[in-house]
Amino acid sequence: MTDPTLPGSEPVPNAANAPPQTLVRSPLSDGEWQRMHPLSPLLRGGLVLLVIVGVVIANLRDRLLGIVLPWLSSDFDGYQSYESSNDPIDFVIAHNLYLVAILVVFGVIALLVLGFYISWRFHTFRITQDDVEVRSGILFRTQRRAPLDRVQGVNLTRPMIARLFGLAKLEVVGAGMDSNVKLEYLSTVNAETVRADILRLASGQQLAEAAKAEGSASGSRVSALSATMSREITGLIEGPEAPVAEPESVVDIPVVRIIASHVVSPSTVFVLITVIAIVIGVSLGYTWLLLGFIPAFIGLGAYWVSSILRSLRYSIAPTPDGARITFGLLTTITETIPPGRVHALEVTQPILWRPFGWWAVKLNRLSGRSATDSTTDQFTTVLPVGTAADVEQVLRLMQPGVPEAEWSLIVREGMFGPLEHDSFTTTPKRAWWIRPLSWKRNGFRLTDDLLLLRRGVIWRNLSILPLARLQSFALHQGPFDRKSRVASAHAHVVTGPVSAHLAAVDRDAALALLADVAAGTVRAAASDHSHRWAHVDEARHAADAEARDDAEARDDVDARDDADAASDGGPGASETALPARPEEVE
């Protein structure tokens, strides 16, 4: 249950920073400092205490068994004196200090509860029209701020223990290193609503007409606040998380496919080779191999299980704020990737997946996490395993601005090429020795919006780089490249699993590509509005309106010219040069 400030007759101190009421649906997003759920300290730090208590009880199980059920303990013959054992429990028993011990235990529990309460009181957040801020700490205060115009996405995580209490945590993904802001914890319903508010505010919707009458706004906020408090109290009583409506996924991954994709993988080949080597080594008398590789097998098995559990309950669906991806069986993670936050995509297919027609899709984006964060990998997989049709559906969600005619070429030639009449520029035959297996497939294709890099035969790769997000583009040429008159192309994007490079490109084609990418990047960045995705439709409507106005003006000019020509006796009397119409340009 949060503790938002009730609006009264007095003016709100930071009303100037309050978000427009039309852009928020929760009283937690009203620009005031709010508190997390009361169980937040327990979930953030109290679980460690529970583990410690469990370890203590496990170590004292024989003693507790002898005290409570002495007839079940055959070895329990009485207590040793505390002088010989130096055991504090024996000391308490020998001096009959049960009441003192109970008081001490309850005192420690009271101090912990008081510490949790103070921690909860000092852990607050607020959402203004410009930032998401979090303050925490008792002795050492910290304050983190995520500017809304730099938000890369909002992740909603529901760990297994938190889901039992109907809670979830939000992670506002920033643009810098270690710049994420976490709201731990809110009720699942409140977390979903606040997430939508943050994305709506970050989308660029700052409406001037959002101001309403003070009485109407106050009444709606009081009503919403009452509903929120009632929902929180109900959640504390009922426990399990409330159902949250999720959009229907455009991709369905069967559980059998997820399990089979992990079994049929390069790691399986490594395991088989290792097992054969161990069997041969043990048969020759090297028994230490069996013990030496047991930890490796245990680690690999744990990785397989965690990967499979993380891929279960996968769904991806379009929303007004971008693609919504949900995955995870025990810990469920929901992340919304807004348009304009995707810096690179890569479609891959290992050779063992080829008979089944399976592919995987990963992306590069600003994660706001530190380089040492081991959980970064789970936020880069867009599609763990899917068919070619699934890949096309996912790519359409990730790049909604690509023209419809381009998708057939991207999927057909980019994933399955080279084909007859292939539109990719591939490695020349004179440089086949640089890529002896894949030189016919190795190539690039540049469109108005994307740079496509295709490579690999054993491990097929297709890198899709939006020109509007490209940081820089470089050509490299070593001594062997100069001899074969080729060069290597490197596209620089944000750090991630996507490798944006292509070797053995014809030198003249590479120089032309460098100039075309430079011009295309400037043009795409100038016309791109996806970083303010709320204005994409507005910009498109404005462009359509401008085109209609130009067409009407052109028709008016044509009508006047025809009238002038008729009055002067013929069409050749007046020759006014007009720009060619779009339908007249081939």
Side-chain angles (χ1 to χ4, degrees):
M1 182 170 59
T2 56
D3 187 20
T5 305
L6 287 173
S9 58
E10 298 181 358
V12 181
N14 62 341
N17 293 327
Q21 290 297 314
T22 54
L23 299 184
V24 297
R25 295 182 299 177
S26 171
L28 304 180
S29 307
D30 60 356
E32 296 291 329
W33 288 104
Q34 313 287 350
R35 293 189 178 92
M36 309 293 180
H37 195 278
L39 295 179
S40 297
L42 178 64
L43 294 174
R44 287 189 290 112
L47 295 179
V48 178
L49 177 63
L50 294 179
V51 173
I52 295 175
V53 172
V55 172
V56 172
I57 293 176
N59 291 331
L60 298 177
R61 63 181 183 275
D62 293 336
R63 182 184 295 277
L64 294 175
L65 184 64
I67 295 175
V68 179
L69 303 173
W71 58 86
L72 296 180
S73 179
S74 59
D75 297 332
F76 188 77
D77 299 327
Y79 305 108
Q80 298 178 352
S81 63
Y82 72 94
E83 292 87 355
S84 60
S85 64
N86 294 324
D87 193 331
I89 297 181
D90 287 341
F91 179 85
V92 171
I93 296 175
H95 291 80
N96 197 23
L97 299 177
Y98 296 105
L99 181 59
V100 175
I102 293 174
L103 291 177
V104 170
V105 171
F106 277 101
V108 172
I109 294 175
L111 290 176
L112 291 174
V113 172
L114 179 62
F116 284 165
Y117 174 76
I118 296 176
S119 174
W120 171 70
R121 293 284 299 182
F122 279 81
H123 193 185
T124 57
F125 74 96
R126 72 173 178 181
I127 301 171
T128 68
Q129 62 181 356
D130 300 314
D131 308 284
V132 178
E133 301 178 61
V134 175
R135 297 187 306 193
S136 61
I138 300 175
L139 298 179
F140 301 95
R141 300 284 289 162
T142 61
Q143 181 167 347
R144 299 181 66 89
R145 176 181 299 174
L148 289 173
D149 60 350
R150 303 292 291 170
V151 169
Q152 304 298 307
V154 182
N155 301 328
L156 190 149
T157 305
R158 287 169 282 180
M160 181 176 62
I161 301 299
R163 289 171 60 188
L164 298 178
F165 297 96
L167 303 182
K169 65 178 179 180
L170 286 179
E171 184 175 11
V172 183
V173 181
M177 185 68 69
D178 196 21
S179 61
N180 291 3
V181 172
K182 298 180 180 180
L183 307 183
E184 302 174 307
Y185 284 80
L186 301 172
S187 69
T188 303
V189 177
N190 280 344
E192 287 279 359
T193 308
V194 171
R195 178 199 64 83
D197 292 343
I198 294 174
L199 288 172
R200 194 174 298 109
L201 290 167
S203 68
Q205 291 186 4
Q206 298 294 339
L207 304 180
E209 63 272 19
K212 292 184 178 180
E214 183 66 23
S216 174
S218 299
S220 62
R221 289 175 62 190
V222 171
S223 176
L225 178 59
S226 301
T228 300
M229 296 177 66
S230 174
R231 188 165 55 241
E232 293 284 5
I233 295 174
T234 303
L236 285 174
I237 297 175
E238 294 180 352
E241 61 176 314
V244 177
E246 294 189 4
E248 185 178 358
S249 176
V250 299
V251 173
D252 181 25
I253 305 179
V255 177
V256 176
R257 183 194 300 172
I258 293 176
I259 299 175
S261 66
H262 286 79
V263 175
V264 184
S265 63
S267 58
T268 304
V269 177
F270 171 77
V271 170
L272 293 177
I273 295 176
T274 304
V275 169
I276 294 174
I278 291 175
V279 171
I280 295 175
V282 171
S283 64
L284 295 178
Y286 298 100
T287 56
W288 58 269
L289 290 174
L290 186 60
L291 298 177
F293 281 92
I294 288 179
F297 287 138
I298 295 176
L300 183 60
Y303 171 76
W304 271 353
V305 172
S306 63
S307 299
I308 292 173
L309 293 179
R310 191 169 61 241
S311 301
L312 294 177
R313 295 182 62 184
Y314 169 88
S315 68
I316 180 170
T319 68
D321 296 310
R324 177 188 174 110
I325 304 175
T326 302
F327 55 93
L329 179 62
L330 301 180
T331 298
T332 303
I333 299 176
T334 299
E335 53 180 331
T336 302
I337 304 178
R341 299 306 194 247
V342 177
H343 289 254
L345 291 162
E346 186 172 64
V347 184
T348 60
Q349 184 188 56
I351 191 171
L352 296 178
W353 285 9
R354 196 165 303 171
F356 307 96
W358 295 340
W359 301 79
V361 181
K362 293 191 174 185
L363 86 162
N364 285 9
R365 65 162 179 153
L366 293 172
S367 63
R369 295 173 175 266
S370 62
T372 59
D373 193 339
S374 60
T375 62
T376 303
D377 178 70
Q378 65 183 350
F379 294 98
T380 60
T381 301
V382 182
L383 179 65
V385 56
T387 63
D390 297 336
V391 171
E392 183 175 355
Q393 292 281 0
V394 170
L395 294 181
R396 287 175 180 270
L397 292 182
M398 295 291 104
Q399 295 296 315
V402 176
E404 182 69 24
E406 289 289 336
W407 286 115
S408 60
L409 293 176
I410 292 174
V411 174
R412 186 175 68 252
E413 297 182 356
M415 295 170 56
F416 298 99
L419 304 175
E420 188 178 1
H421 305 297
D422 197 88
S423 61
F424 278 71
T425 301
T426 57
T427 299
K429 188 175 182 179
R430 62 177 180 272
W432 68 269
W433 58 275
I434 299 178
R435 290 291 184 269
L437 298 179
S438 62
W439 67 274
K440 291 183 179 180
R441 173 177 168 81
N442 196 66
F444 68 89
R445 183 171 183 268
L446 181 66
T447 70
D448 294 338
D449 306 289
L450 305 173
L451 173 61
L452 308 177
L453 305 179
R454 185 183 67 188
R455 61 189 182 277
V457 172
I458 297 178
W459 197 298
R460 288 177 174 175
N461 289 271
L462 174 65
S463 300
I464 303 173
L465 312 175
L467 294 180
R469 299 289 168 262
L470 207 60
Q471 305 296 312
S472 64
F473 189 78
L475 298 179
H476 299 273
Q477 190 179 53
F480 296 104
D481 290 337
R482 287 195 294 270
K483 184 176 181 180
S484 299
R485 301 194 307 279
V486 295
S488 297
H490 292 261
H492 301 147
V493 294
V494 299
T495 304
V498 178
S499 179
H501 73 276
L502 187 67
V505 180
D506 180 76
R507 182 188 60 188
D508 296 334
L511 292 174
L513 177 63
L514 178 64
D516 294 340
V517 167
T521 300
V522 173
R523 183 174 58 253
S527 60
D528 179 69
H529 298 280
S530 57
H531 60 291
R532 288 290 179 269
W533 57 93
H535 296 324
V536 173
D537 293 336
E538 298 174 6
R540 185 180 298 114
H541 295 330
D544 294 341
E546 184 179 356
R548 287 195 299 270
D549 293 339
D550 291 341
E552 292 175 359
R554 194 187 307 277
D555 292 340
D556 292 340
V557 172
D558 289 343
R560 288 196 301 269
D561 290 343
D562 293 341
D564 293 340
S567 62
D568 292 339
S574 176
E575 298 180 359
T576 302
L578 295 177
R581 298 183 181 180
E583 62 268 21
E584 297 173 350
V585 178
E586 295 184 358

mmCIF file of all heavy atoms in Angstrom, residues 259-285:
data_model
loop_
_atom_site.group_PDB
_atom_site.id
_atom_site.type_symbol
_atom_site.label_atom_id
_atom_site.label_comp_id
_atom_site.label_asym_id
_atom_site.label_seq_id
_atom_site.Cartn_x
_atom_site.Cartn_y
_atom_site.Cartn_z
ATOM 1 N N ILE A 259 12.686 -26.858 -26.002
ATOM 2 C CA ILE A 259 13.569 -27.889 -25.441
ATOM 3 C C ILE A 259 14.457 -28.480 -26.522
ATOM 4 O O ILE A 259 15.675 -28.660 -26.337
ATOM 5 C CB ILE A 259 12.734 -28.973 -24.738
ATOM 6 C CG1 ILE A 259 11.933 -28.363 -23.581
ATOM 7 C CG2 ILE A 259 13.619 -30.109 -24.255
ATOM 8 C CD1 ILE A 259 10.994 -29.341 -22.900
ATOM 9 N N ALA A 260 13.863 -28.775 -27.692
ATOM 10 C CA ALA A 260 14.649 -29.374 -28.773
ATOM 11 C C ALA A 260 15.730 -28.429 -29.288
ATOM 12 O O ALA A 260 16.824 -28.864 -29.645
ATOM 13 C CB ALA A 260 13.722 -29.786 -29.914
ATOM 14 N N SER A 261 15.458 -27.120 -29.309
ATOM 15 C CA SER A 261 16.464 -26.172 -29.792
ATOM 16 C C SER A 261 17.675 -26.130 -28.880
ATOM 17 O O SER A 261 18.791 -25.836 -29.338
ATOM 18 C CB SER A 261 15.842 -24.781 -29.902
ATOM 19 O OG SER A 261 15.483 -24.266 -28.624
ATOM 20 N N HIS A 262 17.501 -26.406 -27.582
ATOM 21 C CA HIS A 262 18.646 -26.454 -26.683
ATOM 22 C C HIS A 262 19.390 -27.781 -26.782
ATOM 23 O O HIS A 262 20.604 -27.830 -26.584
ATOM 24 C CB HIS A 262 18.185 -26.230 -25.228
ATOM 25 C CG HIS A 262 17.820 -24.809 -24.933
ATOM 26 N ND1 HIS A 262 16.610 -24.256 -25.302
ATOM 27 C CD2 HIS A 262 18.507 -23.821 -24.303
ATOM 28 C CE1 HIS A 262 16.567 -23.000 -24.902
ATOM 29 N NE2 HIS A 262 17.692 -22.709 -24.316
ATOM 30 N N VAL A 263 18.646 -28.834 -27.071
ATOM 31 C CA VAL A 263 19.302 -30.134 -27.237
ATOM 32 C C VAL A 263 20.070 -30.172 -28.547
ATOM 33 O O VAL A 263 21.220 -30.622 -28.593
ATOM 34 C CB VAL A 263 18.251 -31.263 -27.169
ATOM 35 C CG1 VAL A 263 18.900 -32.616 -27.473
ATOM 36 C CG2 VAL A 263 17.594 -31.284 -25.801
ATOM 37 N N VAL A 264 19.440 -29.691 -29.624
ATOM 38 C CA VAL A 264 20.099 -29.671 -30.934
ATOM 39 C C VAL A 264 20.852 -28.341 -31.050
ATOM 40 O O VAL A 264 20.375 -27.385 -31.652
ATOM 41 C CB VAL A 264 19.073 -29.830 -32.073
ATOM 42 C CG1 VAL A 264 19.785 -29.900 -33.417
ATOM 43 C CG2 VAL A 264 18.219 -31.063 -31.845
ATOM 44 N N SER A 265 22.013 -28.272 -30.485
ATOM 45 C CA SER A 265 22.790 -27.039 -30.451
ATOM 46 C C SER A 265 24.269 -27.378 -30.448
ATOM 47 O O SER A 265 24.662 -28.531 -30.188
ATOM 48 C CB SER A 265 22.437 -26.216 -29.205
ATOM 49 O OG SER A 265 22.784 -26.912 -28.029
ATOM 50 N N PRO A 266 25.134 -26.421 -30.751
ATOM 51 C CA PRO A 266 26.584 -26.682 -30.721
ATOM 52 C C PRO A 266 27.081 -27.148 -29.366
ATOM 53 O O PRO A 266 28.047 -27.920 -29.291
ATOM 54 C CB PRO A 266 27.184 -25.325 -31.100
ATOM 55 C CG PRO A 266 26.128 -24.656 -31.908
ATOM 56 C CD PRO A 266 24.835 -25.093 -31.307
ATOM 57 N N SER A 267 26.447 -26.705 -28.282
ATOM 58 C CA SER A 267 26.876 -27.163 -26.964
ATOM 59 C C SER A 267 26.652 -28.665 -26.796
ATOM 60 O O SER A 267 27.426 -29.344 -26.100
ATOM 61 C CB SER A 267 26.133 -26.393 -25.871
ATOM 62 O OG SER A 267 24.731 -26.543 -26.012
ATOM 63 N N THR A 268 25.619 -29.198 -27.452
ATOM 64 C CA THR A 268 25.384 -30.643 -27.396
ATOM 65 C C THR A 268 26.516 -31.397 -28.078
ATOM 66 O O THR A 268 26.972 -32.439 -27.588
ATOM 67 C CB THR A 268 24.041 -30.984 -28.056
ATOM 68 O OG1 THR A 268 22.992 -30.244 -27.426
ATOM 69 C CG2 THR A 268 23.751 -32.465 -27.951
ATOM 70 N N VAL A 269 26.981 -30.880 -29.199
ATOM 71 C CA VAL A 269 28.113 -31.504 -29.885
ATOM 72 C C VAL A 269 29.345 -31.503 -28.990
ATOM 73 O O VAL A 269 30.083 -32.496 -28.903
ATOM 74 C CB VAL A 269 28.392 -30.763 -31.203
ATOM 75 C CG1 VAL A 269 29.615 -31.349 -31.904
ATOM 76 C CG2 VAL A 269 27.171 -30.830 -32.118
ATOM 77 N N PHE A 270 29.572 -30.387 -28.305
ATOM 78 C CA PHE A 270 30.704 -30.307 -27.384
ATOM 79 C C PHE A 270 30.577 -31.341 -26.269
ATOM 80 O O PHE A 270 31.562 -31.990 -25.882
ATOM 81 C CB PHE A 270 30.788 -28.899 -26.796
ATOM 82 C CG PHE A 270 31.775 -28.756 -25.679
ATOM 83 C CD1 PHE A 270 33.138 -28.685 -25.940
ATOM 84 C CD2 PHE A 270 31.346 -28.704 -24.354
ATOM 85 C CE1 PHE A 270 34.050 -28.568 -24.899
ATOM 86 C CE2 PHE A 270 32.248 -28.577 -23.322
ATOM 87 C CZ PHE A 270 33.612 -28.507 -23.592
ATOM 88 N N VAL A 271 29.366 -31.512 -25.740
ATOM 89 C CA VAL A 271 29.153 -32.488 -24.677
ATOM 90 C C VAL A 271 29.427 -33.903 -25.185
ATOM 91 O O VAL A 271 30.091 -34.712 -24.501
ATOM 92 C CB VAL A 271 27.718 -32.377 -24.126
ATOM 93 C CG1 VAL A 271 27.399 -33.536 -23.195
ATOM 94 C CG2 VAL A 271 27.539 -31.064 -23.383
ATOM 95 N N LEU A 272 28.937 -34.219 -26.379
ATOM 96 C CA LEU A 272 29.166 -35.561 -26.924
ATOM 97 C C LEU A 272 30.656 -35.822 -27.128
ATOM 98 O O LEU A 272 31.157 -36.915 -26.804
ATOM 99 C CB LEU A 272 28.408 -35.718 -28.239
ATOM 100 C CG LEU A 272 26.871 -35.711 -28.138
ATOM 101 C CD1 LEU A 272 26.245 -35.800 -29.518
ATOM 102 C CD2 LEU A 272 26.390 -36.863 -27.257
ATOM 103 N N ILE A 273 31.367 -34.844 -27.673
ATOM 104 C CA ILE A 273 32.805 -35.015 -27.871
ATOM 105 C C ILE A 273 33.520 -35.196 -26.532
ATOM 106 O O ILE A 273 34.427 -36.035 -26.387
ATOM 107 C CB ILE A 273 33.383 -33.809 -28.641
ATOM 108 C CG1 ILE A 273 32.795 -33.769 -30.060
ATOM 109 C CG2 ILE A 273 34.899 -33.873 -28.696
ATOM 110 C CD1 ILE A 273 33.226 -32.552 -30.857
ATOM 111 N N THR A 274 33.094 -34.433 -25.531
ATOM 112 C CA THR A 274 33.709 -34.544 -24.208
ATOM 113 C C THR A 274 33.439 -35.898 -23.586
ATOM 114 O O THR A 274 34.334 -36.514 -22.978
ATOM 115 C CB THR A 274 33.176 -33.427 -23.298
ATOM 116 O OG1 THR A 274 33.419 -32.161 -23.907
ATOM 117 C CG2 THR A 274 33.863 -33.467 -21.942
ATOM 118 N N VAL A 275 32.210 -36.390 -23.727
ATOM 119 C CA VAL A 275 31.875 -37.703 -23.169
ATOM 120 C C VAL A 275 32.714 -38.785 -23.822
ATOM 121 O O VAL A 275 33.243 -39.692 -23.135
ATOM 122 C CB VAL A 275 30.368 -37.986 -23.342
ATOM 123 C CG1 VAL A 275 30.057 -39.441 -23.017
ATOM 124 C CG2 VAL A 275 29.553 -37.058 -22.463
ATOM 125 N N ILE A 276 32.866 -38.712 -25.137
ATOM 126 C CA ILE A 276 33.688 -39.714 -25.830
ATOM 127 C C ILE A 276 35.131 -39.651 -25.341
ATOM 128 O O ILE A 276 35.780 -40.688 -25.093
ATOM 129 C CB ILE A 276 33.610 -39.491 -27.351
ATOM 130 C CG1 ILE A 276 32.185 -39.769 -27.851
ATOM 131 C CG2 ILE A 276 34.607 -40.391 -28.077
ATOM 132 C CD1 ILE A 276 31.984 -39.438 -29.315
ATOM 133 N N ALA A 277 35.654 -38.417 -25.174
ATOM 134 C CA ALA A 277 37.028 -38.282 -24.694
ATOM 135 C C ALA A 277 37.178 -38.826 -23.279
ATOM 136 O O ALA A 277 38.189 -39.472 -22.948
ATOM 137 C CB ALA A 277 37.439 -36.804 -24.743
ATOM 138 N N ILE A 278 36.166 -38.613 -22.414
ATOM 139 C CA ILE A 278 36.241 -39.110 -21.035
ATOM 140 C C ILE A 278 36.203 -40.638 -21.020
ATOM 141 O O ILE A 278 36.954 -41.287 -20.280
ATOM 142 C CB ILE A 278 35.093 -38.523 -20.201
ATOM 143 C CG1 ILE A 278 35.311 -37.023 -19.988
ATOM 144 C CG2 ILE A 278 34.989 -39.229 -18.856
ATOM 145 C CD1 ILE A 278 34.164 -36.343 -19.272
ATOM 146 N N VAL A 279 35.324 -41.224 -21.846
ATOM 147 C CA VAL A 279 35.227 -42.688 -21.898
ATOM 148 C C VAL A 279 36.554 -43.292 -22.343
ATOM 149 O O VAL A 279 37.058 -44.274 -21.749
ATOM 150 C CB VAL A 279 34.082 -43.113 -22.820
ATOM 151 C CG1 VAL A 279 34.115 -44.629 -23.060
ATOM 152 C CG2 VAL A 279 32.736 -42.703 -22.233
ATOM 153 N N ILE A 280 37.150 -42.685 -23.374
ATOM 154 C CA ILE A 280 38.438 -43.209 -23.854
ATOM 155 C C ILE A 280 39.511 -43.030 -22.782
ATOM 156 O O ILE A 280 40.332 -43.931 -22.539
ATOM 157 C CB ILE A 280 38.840 -42.493 -25.161
ATOM 158 C CG1 ILE A 280 37.827 -42.823 -26.267
ATOM 159 C CG2 ILE A 280 40.242 -42.900 -25.583
ATOM 160 C CD1 ILE A 280 38.079 -42.073 -27.559
ATOM 161 N N GLY A 281 39.512 -41.845 -22.122
ATOM 162 C CA GLY A 281 40.519 -41.603 -21.094
ATOM 163 C C GLY A 281 40.390 -42.535 -19.905
ATOM 164 O O GLY A 281 41.382 -43.043 -19.385
ATOM 165 N N VAL A 282 39.140 -42.788 -19.445
ATOM 166 C CA VAL A 282 38.935 -43.696 -18.317
ATOM 167 C C VAL A 282 39.335 -45.113 -18.683
ATOM 168 O O VAL A 282 39.908 -45.856 -17.871
ATOM 169 C CB VAL A 282 37.468 -43.625 -17.853
ATOM 170 C CG1 VAL A 282 37.173 -44.715 -16.830
ATOM 171 C CG2 VAL A 282 37.162 -42.249 -17.270
ATOM 172 N N SER A 283 39.042 -45.526 -19.924
ATOM 173 C CA SER A 283 39.429 -46.874 -20.348
ATOM 174 C C SER A 283 40.942 -47.048 -20.400
ATOM 175 O O SER A 283 41.443 -48.165 -20.254
ATOM 176 C CB SER A 283 38.824 -47.174 -21.720
ATOM 177 O OG SER A 283 39.358 -46.291 -22.695
ATOM 178 N N LEU A 284 41.665 -45.935 -20.560
ATOM 179 C CA LEU A 284 43.127 -45.989 -20.570
ATOM 180 C C LEU A 284 43.724 -45.777 -19.185
ATOM 181 O O LEU A 284 44.947 -45.721 -19.044
ATOM 182 C CB LEU A 284 43.676 -44.935 -21.527
ATOM 183 C CG LEU A 284 43.326 -45.133 -23.018
ATOM 184 C CD1 LEU A 284 43.884 -43.997 -23.854
ATOM 185 C CD2 LEU A 284 43.863 -46.477 -23.527
ATOM 186 N N GLY A 285 42.868 -45.616 -18.177
ATOM 187 C CA GLY A 285 43.366 -45.498 -16.814
ATOM 188 C C GLY A 285 43.384 -44.085 -16.266
ATOM 189 O O GLY A 285 43.792 -43.886 -15.115
#
